[in-house]
Amino acid sequence: MQSSSVAGTPGAPHVPHVAAHFASREVQDHAARLGMWLFLATEILLFAGLFVCYANYRFAFPDAFAAASRELDLTMGTINTLVLITSSFTAAMAVHYAKEGQNKQVVWMFVLTILMALGFLVIKYFEYSHKFHVHQLPGPYYAYDKIQLPGVSMYFTIYFLSTGLHAFHVIIGMIVLGWVTLKAMRNEFNHSNYTAVELGSMYWHLVDLVWIFLFPMLYLI
Amino acid sequence: MSPSSSIAAEPGAVPAPDEHHEHHPSYLVDGTTVKSWLLTLDHKRIGVMYLIWVLLFFLIGGIYALIVRLELLTPGPTIIDAMTYNRAFTMHGVVMIFLFMIPAIPGAFGNFMLPLMLGAKDVAFPKLNLMSLYLLLSGAVIAIWGMINGGMDTGWTFYTPYSTHTTTTVAPILFGAFIIGFSSIATGLNFIVTTHTMRAPGITWFKMPLFVWAMYATACIQVLATPVLGLVLLLVVGENIFHFGIFDPARGGDPVLFQHLFWFYSHPAVYIMVLPAFGVMSEVVATYSRKNIFGYRAVAFSSLGIAFVGFFAWGHHMFVSGQSTFNAGVFAVLTMLVGVFTAIKVFNWVGTVYKGAVDFKTPFAYFCGFLYFTVFGGMTGVAFATASLDVPWHDTYFVVAHFHFIMVGATIMAFMAALHYWFPKMFGKTYHEGWGLVSAALIILGFNATFIPQFLLGNAGMPRRYYEYPERFQTLNVASTAGASLLAFGFIIAAVYLTYALVYGERASANPWHSRGYEWLTESPPPTHNFVGPQPTYTEEPHFYVEPEKAEVPDAV
Ligand code: HEM
Ligand SMILES: [Cu+2]
């Protein structure tokens, strides 16, 4: 049930597959891309619910939210933003190299991306542990005596929920990219077969994009 | 119907392995091991498995319904205590909504028919398709585990702050619903991509069967609304376990925010349930009137219209939540717009039947019931959308009767119509027409007998979700319970003769209804890759009857 009609790199062990129910490679790739776009839309909607909660409570407790957001570590947040933007760039480079069939470069780019993702999580870990230490925690666990405004625990609830959900996506993204990296190590990609790289890095861009919204929302305003 | 030549009529197609075989087994017998079913990637087998499961869930939900109805037979305690009653109606709602109504038509008939109607060999992502079935089942297992270990007493709407404080097992049931939501998203995503990429040459957007249009519109809602529900369910689970306070007024949270997020999904979700029903009926009405659907484009676009305005109508569930008069007015108008789009469909269906050569078979009987429930239930919906009328009716049995008429009535009619209409295609067997009509009549009558008394009860002020009620409501409650028994009886008859037909039924021809829907262009039951021989050519619209024709047209295949 597999076709090998598309010219692959000579000697490359792998030939692109066309599943039996697709008319052609083009259709199959188109379907994969469209599916990924829809999936990313659902991910954005998932976060959108949290944004709505944020907007609602920021409106209800403006002072508490302003005070609480000054408690976040702006330096760490900024570093993390830069790390993610850079990792998005390396992920994009991976697609570029995959199109040229330079699988080695693809591997490098994704390894860099994954390392940066790891770096992001490490920084996040330090941020979290500080918050735990001073009891800037969600809901009933909030016990930070310097700020005692009504609604301030709500800020930390939303902070932990949204950054936690985002961190979960970072981990999923690392797994996805790791899997694509393995494929690149097996020399699978070439100018006509790079959809997996494209989809993987699309997912990574989403993770980046969500952070681009979370960062100003939580740290800046 | 000679099994010859190749499947590979499309450009660039890949020779399928079974091209070299002389014999093309139907999908039902192509592999008979349990594994060949459980791990199949064939959309038809997945559809059949969905069908089996949703029927089982329907049975579970139905048993809960009968318990609830029996309890309400007398004003005081009848068979169960108050807490059990609360759990029973909650479980009835949860099972029926999340495990039956939402997955039923898309899962069973959408999966089976969509590729056939598009001239495709399968859906775009067969593995995702199988995964969505198993997601549904794992969600169901988790939820049912929760039901057995304590149950939940919040009602299927999970309103906070009660749901974050009750000591019943909210978490596993909501988590189950969360996973079921993913299944719904996966199905929707798959259908959208399939519709975009898998249409056979000749099937343009405006030559797609209307069932495909309806599934497409449904899929858009599934993809756009369900993630929000997923999030809000997770938040409630978190609240219930950790008491974060997002929806808890005691901690500064806002329970009305829950309602906004919940109904942002759950109002569109009623169209996830009812749009597939509209789609089924558009096929059925054309086939049995032997006329092409009147106003094809209007019907197609009104599905998209319903899907669209459905997103802006959620506020009508919150007329009594302290909403401003202005908001209530806006939501009232937007809600009524849904009625306009539905009316477009109703007029077109009626226009299709008008001067058609009606072949009054079982699915057509369900079509008649469907039209009635849609119009009647829809009118009560328009009445509800009038904010001033909603206030006295809110949370009374009038609501219960309304949503059973429109959602349940219309959807069950369509589900039963689909089951009968496509039964020969799916299983290659015919059932007994006379029994089909008898059970359809009983079900339609039973429905009326169950829910018309509930309209009257609600109007007289009997609240929903109450365990006891004043003496004066008893007559109507007894009538409603009697109706429910009649309804159950109708379903039992259908179960019996359909099961009998599966085993002993006569072999069906490829196109027993002489329909001109695309899905009839292959054998019954279809072979594994859907079509034998060269792919059918699609030069005419689906259901292209030149003039109303009697049933003597030869088989299309
Ligand atoms: C088959 C016969 C059915 C009967 C006799 C029946 C009966 C009832 C009754 C008596 C209630 C009111 C419970 C109360 O508020 O105290 C109810 C509620 C409800 N039913 Fe049904 N029902 C049936 C089918 C269905 C189906 C197929 C669905 C699928 C959507 C459904 C969905 C609901 C929902 C969502 C509620 C609201 C539950 C709540 O208030 O929390 N019902 N039903
Ligand atoms: Cu609604």
Side-chain angles (χ1 to χ4, degrees):
Chain A
M1 253 188 264
Q2 288 147 12
S3 131
S4 49
S5 54
V6 190
T9 321
H14 224 86
V15 271
H17 292 196
V18 179
H21 60 291
F22 281 114
S24 67
R25 279 276 325 222
E26 285 65 42
V27 176
Q28 174 167 324
D29 290 349
H30 176 50
R33 248 178 252 128
L34 184 61
M36 193 65 184
W37 277 112
L38 282 170
F39 173 67
L40 296 186
T42 68
E43 291 275 40
I44 288 179
L45 284 160
L46 186 73
F47 280 98
L50 278 171
F51 294 158
V52 169
C53 289
Y54 175 86
N56 187 61
Y57 292 116
R58 180 162 189 107
F59 189 69
F61 309 108
D63 299 335
F65 270 50
S69 79
R70 282 195 292 276
E71 287 296 311
L72 298 197
D73 192 324
L74 194 56
T75 323
M76 290 207 192
T78 312
I79 295 176
N80 255 352
T81 309
L82 292 176
V83 168
L84 269 195
I85 291 180
T86 319
S87 71
S88 228
F89 173 73
T90 48
M93 286 307 285
V95 181
H96 168 77
Y97 286 124
K99 280 184 194 166
E100 295 181 346
Q102 304 194 40
N103 283 289
K104 241 200 203 100
Q105 257 70 9
V106 175
V107 174
W108 271 114
M109 286 301 132
F110 275 150
V111 167
L112 280 176
T113 313
I114 295 172
L115 282 178
M116 280 186 267
L118 204 62
F120 177 90
L121 290 179
V122 170
I123 295 177
K124 202 82 244 158
Y125 167 78
F126 284 119
E127 277 193 82
Y128 272 11
S129 50
H130 177 70
K131 300 253 150 357
F132 273 79
H133 188 69
V134 297
H135 301 288
Q136 290 170 337
L137 292 173
Y141 311 103
Y142 181 84
Y144 180 64
D145 35 14
K146 295 221 185 79
I147 309 178
Q148 284 292 358
L149 292 167
V152 70
S153 68
M154 190 69 78
Y155 177 86
F156 286 102
T157 304
I158 291 175
Y159 167 80
F160 276 103
L161 283 173
S162 48
T163 55
L165 191 65
H166 177 260
F168 177 70
H169 279 76
V170 171
I171 295 172
I172 301 281
M174 287 166 71
I175 296 173
V176 171
L177 293 187
W179 174 69
V180 184
T181 311
L182 283 183
K183 286 168 89 78
M185 279 173 167
R186 278 187 256 123
N187 248 342
E188 283 186 24
F189 302 116
N190 57 49
H191 70 280
S192 64
N193 177 31
Y194 57 89
T195 316
V197 181
E198 209 181 342
L199 300 190
S201 81
M202 262 165 86
Y203 187 80
W204 192 251
H205 293 324
L206 172 93
V207 173
D208 179 35
L209 183 76
V210 169
W211 180 257
I212 302 281
F213 279 94
L214 285 180
F215 176 63
M217 178 176 112
L218 295 169
Y219 290 75
L220 297 182
I221 53 175
Chain B
M1 259 188 282
S2 60
S4 62
S5 68
S6 78
I7 305 180
E10 324 93 298
V14 185
D18 63 351
E19 170 175 74
H20 313 291
H21 295 223
E22 258 311 290
H23 187 63
H24 295 273
S26 94
Y27 82 98
L28 283 173
V29 294
D30 186 3
T32 48
T33 57
V34 174
K35 200 176 140 208
S36 74
W37 276 87
L38 295 185
L39 296 183
T40 181
L41 296 181
D42 183 344
H43 66 101
K44 300 182 286 303
R45 287 193 165 194
I46 294 175
V48 171
M49 289 198 282
Y50 259 107
L51 182 61
I52 296 170
W53 284 105
V54 298
L55 285 172
L56 181 78
F57 297 141
F58 185 55
L59 179 69
I60 299 177
I63 291 172
Y64 276 119
L66 288 177
I67 295 174
V68 168
R69 253 344 309 161
L70 277 178
E71 173 51 46
L72 293 176
L73 204 54
T74 66
T78 312
I79 51 168
I80 48 180
D81 61 79
M83 192 59 186
T84 314
Y85 175 81
N86 292 348
R87 289 176 174 143
F89 78 68
T90 302
M91 282 356 289
H92 166 68
V94 170
V95 171
M96 285 295 198
I97 300 266
F98 293 106
L99 291 176
F100 177 71
M101 302 274 284
I102 289 179
I105 295 180
F109 303 112
N111 263 325
F112 200 104
M113 297 301 159
L114 198 73
L116 286 178
M117 288 180 165
L118 294 174
K121 291 197 193 102
D122 209 323
V123 292
F125 307 121
K127 285 185 201 147
L128 183 69
N129 202 12
L130 185 66
M131 191 182 92
S132 74
L133 172 68
Y134 285 115
L135 278 178
L136 176 75
L137 294 184
S138 16
V141 167
I142 297 176
I144 290 174
W145 181 84
M147 286 177 210
I148 295 168
N149 290 283
M152 182 170 80
D153 61 347
T154 64
W156 79 276
T157 46
F158 322 125
Y159 270 14
T160 55
Y162 183 67
S163 59
T164 61
H165 281 85
T166 171
T167 50
T168 50
T169 29
V170 169
I173 296 175
L174 291 200
F175 189 64
F178 174 77
I179 294 179
I180 294 165
F182 272 103
S183 156
S184 183
I185 292 177
T187 306
L189 191 151
N190 215 342
F191 284 2
I192 294 180
V193 176
T194 304
T195 311
H196 274 271
T197 60
M198 308 292 283
R199 282 172 285 126
I203 305 186
T204 59
W205 279 87
F206 290 109
K207 273 164 73 187
M208 290 190 324
L210 285 166
F211 181 67
V212 177
W213 271 105
M215 294 311 312
Y216 184 78
T218 310
C220 292
I221 308 178
Q222 285 176 306
V223 168
L224 294 180
T226 321
V228 180
L229 175 80
L231 181 84
V232 77
L233 291 183
L234 274 191
L235 290 181
V236 175
V237 172
E239 285 276 289
N240 191 271
I241 300 176
F242 302 111
H243 299 289
F244 286 148
I246 288 248
F247 302 127
D248 182 356
R251 295 188 196 285
D254 182 359
V256 177
L257 179 63
F258 169 85
Q259 295 188 22
H260 278 292
L261 292 173
F262 178 81
W263 287 112
F264 178 78
Y265 166 79
S266 293
H267 183 75
V270 308
Y271 306 117
I272 297 180
M273 304 177 220
V274 94
L275 275 175
F278 291 172
V280 169
M281 285 309 174
S282 299
E283 299 293 319
V284 165
V285 73
T287 293
Y288 295 98
S289 307
R290 311 215 55 73
K291 266 176 74 187
N292 201 358
I293 194 91
F294 181 82
Y296 169 93
R297 282 185 188 224
V299 177
F301 281 127
S302 59
S303 290
L304 294 182
I306 290 175
F308 183 72
V309 293
F311 276 103
F312 303 98
W314 80 89
H316 62 220
H317 294 273
M318 301 165 67
F319 284 151
V320 297
S321 70
Q323 200 175 53
S324 73
T325 316
F326 176 74
N327 282 358
V330 170
F331 279 124
V333 171
L334 288 169
T335 304
M336 290 183 193
L337 269 182
V338 178
V340 174
F341 286 117
T342 313
I344 292 177
K345 285 181 188 289
V346 169
F347 288 129
N348 284 297
W349 289 319
V350 174
T352 308
V353 179
Y354 178 70
K355 288 197 175 164
V358 171
D359 193 8
F360 204 96
K361 292 281 179 9
T362 309
F364 196 82
Y366 281 113
F367 168 76
C368 298
F370 163 85
L371 210 54
Y372 159 76
F373 286 122
T374 306
V375 172
F376 194 152
M379 307 265 253
T380 59
V382 176
F384 258 127
T386 315
S388 56
L389 288 177
D390 179 82
V391 174
W393 279 333
H394 180 78
D395 266 345
T396 67
Y397 261 86
F398 203 91
V399 177
V400 178
H402 153 70
F403 72 63
H404 277 86
F405 251 62
I406 183 77
M407 271 162 49
V408 185
T411 307
I412 296 281
M413 290 299 118
F415 181 80
M416 295 302 282
L419 191 60
H420 288 80
Y421 176 51
W422 284 316
F423 190 86
K425 172 81 1 194
M426 293 176 80
F427 302 109
K429 295 289 176 76
T430 53
Y431 54 86
H432 192 284
E433 191 60 49
W435 281 113
L437 289 171
V438 168
S439 110
L442 282 179
I443 290 173
I444 294 171
L445 268 178
F447 236 102
N448 279 297
T450 312
F451 295 109
I452 287 181
Q454 294 187 12
F455 277 118
L456 303 176
L457 281 170
N459 203 37
M462 175 164 159
R464 71 195 278 208
R465 297 179 176 174
Y466 271 42
Y467 174 64
E468 298 182 13
Y469 54 80
E471 210 71 61
R472 67 194 155 95
F473 292 139
Q474 190 176 8
T475 321
L476 285 170
N477 271 301
V478 171
S480 180
T481 304
S485 324
L486 194 64
L487 188 53
F489 187 54
F491 282 118
I492 291 172
I493 295 182
V496 171
Y497 70 80
L498 286 180
T499 317
Y500 181 86
L502 266 188
V503 187
Y504 303 106
E506 271 175 51
R507 264 208 65 82
S509 66
N511 186 4
W513 314 121
H514 309 292
S515 168
R516 296 205 174 163
Y518 290 162
E519 74 277 27
W520 300 96
L521 292 173
T522 183
E523 290 167 43
S524 304
T528 307
H529 286 292
N530 291 354
F531 301 97
V532 182
Q535 199 181 30
T537 48
Y538 302 92
T539 46
E540 281 163 353
E541 298 150 42
H543 297 292
F544 189 75
Y545 307 95
V546 181
E547 55 189 64
E549 297 163 77
K550 280 272 176 244
E552 58 285 310
V553 246
D555 272 12
V557 179

